[in-house]
Amino acid sequence: MTERRSQKHLVRKAFDRAAERYDSAAAVQREACERLAGFAARFIAELPGSGGIVVDAGCGTGLGLPALTALRPGAHVLAIDLAPAMLAQARRAAAALAPTAPLAAVCGDLEHLPLAGGSLALLWSSLALQWCAPQAAMREIARTLAPGGQAFVATLGPRTLHELEAAFAGIDQAEHRIAFHDAGTWAAHARGAGLDVAGLENFDIHALAPDLRKLLKDIKTIGASTVTGARRRTPLGRTAWQGLESRYETHRRADGLLPATYDLILLALRKPETANGVQA
């Protein structure tokens, strides 16, 4: 198994394990969906008409499905996720919203979308592409969008979980978060794939908990504890844990809660209808 396939295997396992409990700790994911929906509403008018095929790429438990269907009424919605257990949860969520219209769901890799070229009117992806190589992800979005089609993406930048990274400094040399790419990198790879960047925003949102143990439990519950480098293999000892708590305590807010920062990047992308006068 190649290193990249091995990494994807770990991510799939983490989210399969997290699927049943995911929504109980997904406050940040809900906020990201809400923010992306409001952001997308400012650009969706550029796409005339209704219907077509739209994809929730990295659908998770289906938190974004109501927003996606509201953005593109009458569309045929397809949900894609790497983790089969997440797709099962998304199907259940969709059935609760529309019992007579079963959700079309496909297990697939966002770096290799199981879709025909030029087949999509719209692609939505909320907090999934950070697990992908930006160049590969943007290439697939550009390939699968129809000319004039749009993509709305929420992903994460390098300030994500910076408090955790700082707290572990000096405790060990292990990696405690994945390698995140900044907004400029995502925009550059989108343009490199031939997409227009119609909109870009970047700001912090936060997960909150009364103590570090609860904060870390929530991060683990949503599957976000998977990293792709040198992971810690043994539990922290008592002294190391106390040191970690002490370091993290410096981030406690005035309201008494501990934050975990998520560096949210929002992108509105569009595939040109023509390229140098030729149909794209």
Side-chain angles (χ1 to χ4, degrees), residues 101-243:
L103 177 68
V106 175
C107 189
D109 183 347
L110 304 192
E111 293 182 5
H112 304 280
L113 288 168
L115 300 168
S119 60
L120 301 180
L122 187 150
L123 181 143
W124 160 288
S125 184
S126 184
L127 299 196
L129 289 189
Q130 67 271 12
W131 299 101
C132 300
Q135 184 176 22
M138 291 298 145
R139 180 188 63 232
E140 281 297 273
I141 290 173
R143 181 184 69 82
T144 55
L145 284 179
Q150 292 180 288
F152 300 106
V153 172
T155 189
L156 297 174
R159 279 179 46 78
T160 298
L161 303 181
H162 71 86
E163 302 95 342
L164 187 64
E165 190 78 0
F168 267 105
I171 300 291
D172 62 26
Q173 300 303 310
E175 294 183 15
H176 297 280
R177 56 179 187 165
I178 66 173
F180 297 100
H181 302 277
D182 63 22
T185 297
W186 284 103
H189 282 297
R191 294 187 182 102
L195 298 168
D196 293 333
V197 180
L200 187 157
E201 291 186 3
N202 187 193
F203 50 86
D204 291 346
I205 60 177
H206 300 92
L208 299 170
D211 55 60
L212 182 58
R213 200 173 295 278
K214 177 65 163 61
L215 198 62
L216 294 180
K217 180 181 178 182
D218 287 348
I219 291 171
K220 185 175 181 179
T221 297
I222 60 171
S225 58
T226 300
V227 295
T228 55
R231 304 175 62 194
R232 184 180 183 88
R233 299 298 179 182
T234 59
L236 285 175
R238 180 177 179 182
T239 299
W241 173 257
Q242 289 174 341

Side-chain angles (χ1 to χ4, degrees), residues 12-35:
R12 173 181 284 182
K13 284 181 63 177
F15 283 101
D16 273 337
R17 288 194 302 267
E20 288 191 6
R21 297 173 291 121
Y22 185 92
D23 286 353
S24 67
V28 163
Q29 287 67 25
R30 289 189 183 88
E31 182 175 354
C33 279
E34 291 170 4
R35 299 270 195 154

